[in-house]
Structures are given as C-alpha cells and as structure tokens.
Amino acid sequence: MSLLRQRGHADSGKVGMVELFFDLVFVFAVTQLSHSLLKKLDMQGALQTGLLFMATWWVWIYTVWATNWFDPEKKQVRAALFALLVAGLLMSVSIPRAFTDLGWLFGASILLQQVGRTVAMLACSRGDNPSLRRNFMRMIVWLTASGALWVAGGLAAPESRMAWWLAALAVDLAAPMLLYYVPGLQRSTMADWNVDGSHMAERCALFIIIALGESLLVTGATFAELPFDSATVGAFLLAVLGTILMWWLYFDHGLEQGHHRIVHSATPGRHARNSYTYLHIPIVAGIIVGAVGDELVLSHPHHGNAAAMAAIIGGPLLFLCGTALFKWLAQTRALPPLSHLLGIALLLVLAALALPLHLSPLLAAGLTVLVLLFVAVWESCVLR
C-alpha cells in the first residue's frame, strides 16, 4: 500500500493533527532562539542566532515537504514524525549552548533529522513514482554533504565552529536553487516537484502563527513581572499592537494571494521553493527579532543602545521586506506593493535617525508601530 498522499480529493491537502503536534517542538525552538539573541545582543550574537535559526527553519521546511508528499495519517509516517520530534527536541535543547559545549548535539541532530528523514522517504516510496524516488536520492547526497559539515562544526573548536556551519548552510541554501544536481542523476525539473499548494501554504502560515504566538508569550511573561506604570503599560500595548499588525499584514492579504498563486500555478513546486521555502525566512526572522525588541522596550522603555534599536526597528523591517517580496511574487506585478516599499523606506529613515535624535526605546517602538499601521491601512483601503 502506498504511503503517498492521494491527490485530488477535497481534503487531500489537509494538515493533520500529528503535524500540528510535531510543530510544538518548534514553538520551543523559536523561544530558545529569541532568548539566545536577548542574552547576547551584539553582532556576534546576531550572527550566531541567525545561523541557528536558518538551520532550524531548514529542518522544519524539509519536514513540511515530506508531509506534503506522504500521508501523515499512515502509521509509518506518524512513527517517522515522532522520531523527528524527539530529534528536534534535542536540537532545540542544544540551541543556547550550540556555540559552547553542545555543538556536537546540535550538529548530530541536524544530520539525523535531515538524512534520516530522506532515507525513510526513499524507503517508503518503493514502487511509487520513479522521478520522485530519484529526487530523494539527490536530496540524500546533498543533505549528507551538509550534515557532515554540521557535525564537523559541532565537533570543532568553538572559535572555528561558525566557519564550518556557514559552509553547511551554504550547501543547504544552494541545493534547491541548483535543483539538487548530482552527477549521474542530473538535476530535478520543476515538473518533478509536484506539491499540494493548499497544504504548503497552510503549513507555512502555521509557522507564522508559531512565531507570532511566541512573541505574545514573551510580551505577556515580561509584562507580568514588571510594575504597572505608564511606560510599562504603554510598551505592553505597543508590543501587542505590533504583533496584531504583523498578523494583519500577512493573513489579511498575503496568505490569500500566496495560496491562490501556488494552487493555480502550472509549476507549484517553483512557488513552494521560492515563496515558501526561501521568502518566509525573513518573515519569520523578523517576528523573532521583533519579539526581542518588544522585551527590551518593556524592560528598559527609557534607555536603549544601538543593539536595542536594531532589534526594535530591525525586526519589523525584516518582516516587512519578506512580506513585500512574498506578495510581489504572489501578485506577479512589476514591483512589490507600494505601501510596503514606503513602509520599508520609513523604517530605514527611522533606523538612521534613532541614535542621532536620542530616541527612547518606547518612542522608537511607537513610531515603528505607526509605520506598520500606515502600511496595513493603506493596503486594506487600496485592496478593498
């Protein structure tokens, strides 16, 4: 009996409960990432956290592709997801110490998940689509190469770990763009990457919810431990409003546009790769960095340094850039939405003036939220 999803039914692209259960590990991972950045809010900390985020995202998105092909309601697929859940939990536990004493665990869990999942996919597809099996073979080659670099970096001295892991990430990023070219197996074609567009769009939207939910959790937990004075209450309201506006900017139009584009495309695999595998990276990263900025504003509303301003303004800026590119590809227009371009320009101006004008974190956060509100209102008025 085939373990692949049976396409063409009304609910063939439905996200299963076991997939949502699997995602709980990544709620923890996102929390670990934001806390790690908050504890080391400098250039080195930002680079390290960014690298760990990219590795975490890559593990998750490959699993999304896997459950897009394979039916999570089948017992064998569920068992594989449970095994990945355990490995993902170990990966998440190691995030705060990945650049100290637990690099080996982070690297080993990446290799185990990426290669183990793909080997299982190859085994489970025996007797099915030959082109799909060849894709899995190509993926095994690329993921084994990057996984070896993740492990080597984890075993290397902490001072050289970044170089090893940047090389591993470069391999991971290049693989889909090069269509997993392997001598003898050649490269994939976009026709080979037949995905269910509804499932892909919904799964990535759920990760946005994970990131936004983590932002609210950080805001609530921090606010609960602080005195209820005017500055703290103001910072709390701004953090919540900023999170709501990020939700609005993605889900009010972006989700619908992206879903329509991938479902009605002749090459859904191309859009799954470009719009969902790559362009969701800055969207999620922006939410995580924004959550760090919210906590800084709550804790220190009146005094902030350059690193704090970078988080407060940079998070929404990253999010807006990713959302603009995502909507641009979905709408196939000559330029990204004008509202988003103006919002990006305003945030860049704000970032340039924040320190010279000695803006407080609370005021910088307020102006950032005003920019997001401006973009959301403009887009809603134009598209309604």
Side-chain angles (χ1 to χ4, degrees):
M1 179 182 295
S2 175
L3 299 179
L4 296 177
R5 284 181 182 265
Q6 301 302 308
R7 302 285 173 82
H9 302 295
D11 60 348
S12 60
K14 181 181 178 182
V15 175
M17 291 297 106
V18 68
E19 294 176 84
L20 301 180
F21 182 57
F22 170 79
D23 283 354
L24 292 177
V25 169
F26 290 87
V27 176
F28 179 44
V30 168
T31 301
Q32 293 280 73
L33 289 165
S34 62
H35 287 177
S36 296
L37 180 58
L38 188 63
K39 289 179 180 178
K40 196 172 184 180
L41 196 60
D42 54 25
M43 184 59 69
Q44 184 184 47
L47 289 174
Q48 290 178 353
T49 304
L51 179 59
L52 297 176
F53 162 69
M54 291 290 289
T56 302
W57 169 263
W58 227 240
V59 168
W60 181 82
I61 196 66
Y62 267 102
T63 306
V64 170
W65 281 82
T67 54
N68 194 286
W69 286 313
F70 291 91
D71 187 353
E73 300 305 314
K74 300 293 177 63
K75 291 181 179 179
Q76 297 94 321
V77 180
R78 284 186 175 182
L81 283 175
F82 292 148
L84 288 170
L85 183 148
V86 174
L89 189 58
L90 291 173
M91 178 190 71
S92 301
V93 166
S94 67
I95 284 174
R97 295 157 60 186
F99 281 93
T100 53
D101 61 326
L102 288 184
W104 65 270
L105 180 57
F106 187 82
S109 63
I110 295 287
L111 175 66
L112 179 62
Q113 291 175 91
Q114 298 291 68
V115 177
R117 181 203 313 105
T118 315
V119 169
M121 289 160 64
L122 181 61
C124 290
S125 62
R126 187 177 295 113
D128 289 310
N129 189 334
S131 65
L132 191 60
R133 286 179 56 80
R134 285 193 296 273
N135 280 340
F136 297 155
M137 293 176 188
R138 298 183 187 101
M139 290 168 64
I140 288 172
V141 173
W142 280 87
L143 292 175
T144 300
S146 66
L149 292 170
W150 285 111
V151 171
L155 296 174
E159 57 270 18
S160 62
R161 191 164 297 161
M162 176 68 78
W164 282 99
W165 283 355
L166 283 174
L169 181 61
V171 174
D172 282 333
L173 289 171
M177 295 303 297
L178 297 177
L179 297 176
Y180 297 93
Y181 173 78
V182 175
L185 291 173
Q186 300 307 311
R187 68 178 72 241
S188 302
T189 66
M190 279 302 157
D192 295 332
W193 297 92
N194 181 27
V195 300
D196 187 298
S198 293
H199 179 269
M200 181 65 68
E202 184 176 354
R203 292 294 284 121
C204 289
L206 289 171
F207 203 98
I208 300 296
I209 290 292
I210 288 174
L212 290 171
E214 196 276 337
S215 179
L216 290 175
L217 287 174
V218 168
T219 298
T222 305
F223 182 57
E225 297 178 355
L226 296 172
F228 281 30
D229 55 35
S230 58
T232 304
V233 172
F236 170 75
L237 293 175
L238 285 174
V240 174
L241 180 57
T243 303
I244 292 172
L245 288 170
M246 286 184 179
W247 182 94
W248 187 273
L249 286 168
Y250 181 86
F251 285 93
D252 188 50
H253 292 296
L255 177 63
E256 179 183 351
Q257 292 166 357
H259 179 271
H260 183 272
R261 177 66 170 164
I262 193 172
V263 167
H264 294 88
S265 172
T267 55
R270 184 184 303 277
H271 297 288
R273 181 193 65 178
N274 297 342
S275 295
Y276 291 96
T277 300
Y278 285 109
L279 288 186
H280 270 59
I281 292 173
I283 296 175
V284 177
I287 296 171
I288 294 174
V289 175
V292 173
D294 291 340
E295 186 164 355
L296 290 169
V297 176
L298 278 163
S299 302
H300 308 285
H302 301 299
H303 304 287
N305 55 21
M309 289 299 173
I312 294 166
I313 303 171
L317 180 60
L318 262 177
F319 173 84
L320 208 52
C321 288
T323 307
L325 291 172
F326 174 63
K327 293 178 180 178
W328 181 30
L329 288 189
Q331 295 173 321
T332 63
R333 293 182 178 179
L335 291 172
L338 181 58
S339 59
H340 290 56
L341 292 178
L342 287 176
I344 291 168
L346 289 172
L347 288 178
L348 288 172
V349 171
L350 179 60
L353 297 178
L355 290 179
L357 294 180
H358 304 289
L359 298 182
S360 68
L362 186 60
L363 180 56
L367 292 173
T368 301
V369 169
L370 278 178
V371 172
L372 293 179
L373 181 61
F374 162 78
V375 175
V377 171
W378 180 328
E379 183 179 50
S380 295
C381 292
V382 169
L383 295 181
R384 287 302 182 198

